[in-house]
């Protein structure tokens, strides 16, 4: 009886593994039959001090421009500065982010997309710090060593050309280190929003802060994406239409996707 039980469990495991859906290396989807790709919960490789913690990127991660910088901070007015330096110490990219602090003295999450100018194989250092309210000098600095990925995939993300558009979007170029999870990576870049330069030129996203991909799969040409509860915080019919349009345009880029269904918790 025990042997039969273990045989049955083993058979179920093989069926489950055989049904998993993987993204192929070219950036398209491998359309298998039924199973959903469950994304693991984010387990940050934290680089931190008492006031600033950087979750993404992790130390020595291969990166591409623009870079998603994600973490938590307790800072004056919630503002942290971001600089990317090359091996000679030259700043090759910079921006700032505002932590979503619920109250004074309570750390809050921050997220920013930062462009940088560097070549594949270059060693970089990400610096995230607060400027002293008294001297203006960097304090509470966190440094993260990085390397520019040798192999990169070009992607497009879609933002409105300016605030107020409900369905009109335009494409913006992105790159990611070579990955099998290119669909998820593309959506993460979309959710991180425009770079500082793109914002200054009017680019606008309807995605609220903190949206994450919880599940992504494709069945019969239909991409089914489940987003975190932050997606439900979008206010107004225009913004909701724009957010859905941004996701739709991104996923329809893949040749094996003919339609998109969006769900959220």
């Amino acid at each position: 009886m025990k042997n039969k039980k273990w045989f049955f469990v083993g058979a179920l495991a093989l069926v489950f593994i055989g049904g998993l859906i993987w993204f192929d290396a070219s950036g398209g989807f491998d359309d298998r039959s039924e199973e959903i790709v469950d994304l693991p919960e984010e387990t940050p490789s934290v680089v931190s001090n008492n006031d600033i913690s950087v979750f993404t990127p992790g130390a020595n991660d291969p990166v591409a421009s623009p870079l998603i910088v994600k973490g938590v901070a307790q800072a004056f007015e919630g503002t942290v500065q971001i600089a990317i330096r090359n091996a000679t110490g030259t700043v090759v990219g910079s921006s700032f982010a505002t932590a979503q602090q619920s109250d004074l003295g309570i750390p809050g999450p921050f997220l920013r997309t930062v462009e940088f100018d560097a070549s594949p194989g270059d060693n970089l250092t990400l610096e995230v710090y607060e400027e002293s309210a008294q001297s203006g000098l960097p304090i509470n600095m966190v440094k993260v060593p990085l390397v520019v990925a040798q192999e990169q995939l070009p992607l497009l993300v879609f933002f409105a050309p300016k605030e107020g558009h409900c369905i009109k979007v335009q494409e913006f170029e992105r790159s990611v280190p070579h990955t099998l999870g290119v669909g998820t990576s593309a959506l993460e870049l979309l959710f991180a929003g425009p770079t500082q330069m793109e914002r200054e030129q009017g680019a606008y996203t309807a995605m609220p802060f903190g949206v994450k991909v919880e599940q992504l799969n494709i069945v019969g040409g239909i991409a089914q994406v489940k987003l975190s509860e932050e997606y439900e915080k979008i206010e107004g019919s225009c913004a909701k239409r724009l957010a859905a349009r941004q996701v739709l345009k991104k996923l329809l880029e893949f040749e094996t996707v003919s339609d998109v269904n969006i769900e959220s918790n």
Side-chain angles (χ1 to χ4, degrees):
M1 179 65 71
K2 288 184 178 180
N3 289 338
K4 290 183 178 180
K5 177 180 178 182
W6 286 113
F7 176 80
F8 179 71
V9 171
L12 283 178
L14 288 173
V15 170
F16 176 76
I17 293 171
L20 284 176
I21 300 166
W22 294 90
F23 299 117
D24 68 23
S26 67
F29 289 97
D30 183 7
D31 185 1
R32 305 287 174 86
S33 58
E34 298 176 354
E35 297 296 337
I36 293 176
V37 175
D38 289 311
L39 302 177
E41 290 188 11
E42 186 173 296
T43 304
S45 174
V46 183
V47 181
S48 69
N49 55 36
N50 290 332
D51 296 299
I52 298 174
S53 299
V54 175
F55 297 160
T56 302
N60 301 308
D61 276 358
V63 297
S65 180
L67 175 67
I68 296 176
V69 182
K70 186 187 305 184
V72 297
Q74 174 185 318
F76 178 67
E77 295 183 340
T79 302
V80 293
Q81 302 298 321
I82 301 170
I84 302 172
R85 297 181 184 272
N86 63 17
T88 67
T90 302
V91 174
V92 295
S94 64
S95 189
F96 68 92
T98 302
Q100 307 293 303
Q101 296 181 206
S102 59
D103 205 348
L104 290 176
I106 298 178
F110 66 85
L111 173 68
R112 181 59 87 187
T113 308
V114 186
E115 292 177 294
F116 63 84
D117 182 14
S119 300
D122 284 358
N123 291 314
L124 304 175
T125 300
L126 168 67
E127 298 177 347
V128 183
Y129 58 92
E130 178 184 0
E131 287 185 344
S132 169
Q134 286 73 40
S135 66
L137 295 175
I139 58 175
N140 302 322
M141 181 179 289
V142 172
K143 295 186 177 183
V144 185
L146 304 169
V147 61
V148 183
Q150 294 282 4
E151 295 186 51
Q152 301 181 22
L153 293 172
L155 296 172
L156 296 175
V157 293
F158 297 86
F159 304 122
K162 63 180 181 179
E163 189 172 357
H165 284 282
C166 296
I167 59 172
K168 183 179 180 180
V169 294
Q170 67 184 55
E171 60 188 41
F172 292 81
E173 295 181 353
R174 294 288 188 267
S175 293
V176 295
H178 193 278
T179 175
L180 293 179
V182 66
T184 299
S185 295
L187 289 177
E188 288 174 348
L189 281 166
L190 172 64
F191 299 158
T195 65
Q196 184 173 335
M197 182 178 293
E198 290 166 349
R199 291 175 189 273
E200 291 172 355
Q201 294 172 350
Y204 171 79
T205 180
M207 292 295 170
F209 184 91
V211 177
K212 300 181 184 68
V213 183
E214 294 192 347
Q215 292 179 344
L216 176 61
N217 77 319
I218 179 172
V219 178
I222 300 176
Q224 300 177 346
V225 56
K226 184 176 182 181
L227 305 179
S228 59
E229 61 184 1
E230 288 82 1
Y231 186 76
E232 292 299 322
K233 296 179 181 179
I234 301 172
E235 297 182 356
S237 60
C238 180
K240 289 179 180 179
R241 290 167 63 194
L242 176 59
R245 179 74 170 172
Q246 289 179 256
V247 175
L248 180 71
K249 287 283 288 184
K250 175 64 258 174
L251 293 178
L252 285 177
E253 272 200 297
F254 298 107
E255 292 182 356
T256 54
V257 176
S258 57
D259 199 1
V260 178
N261 286 337
I262 304 173
E263 301 178 15
S264 59
N265 281 333

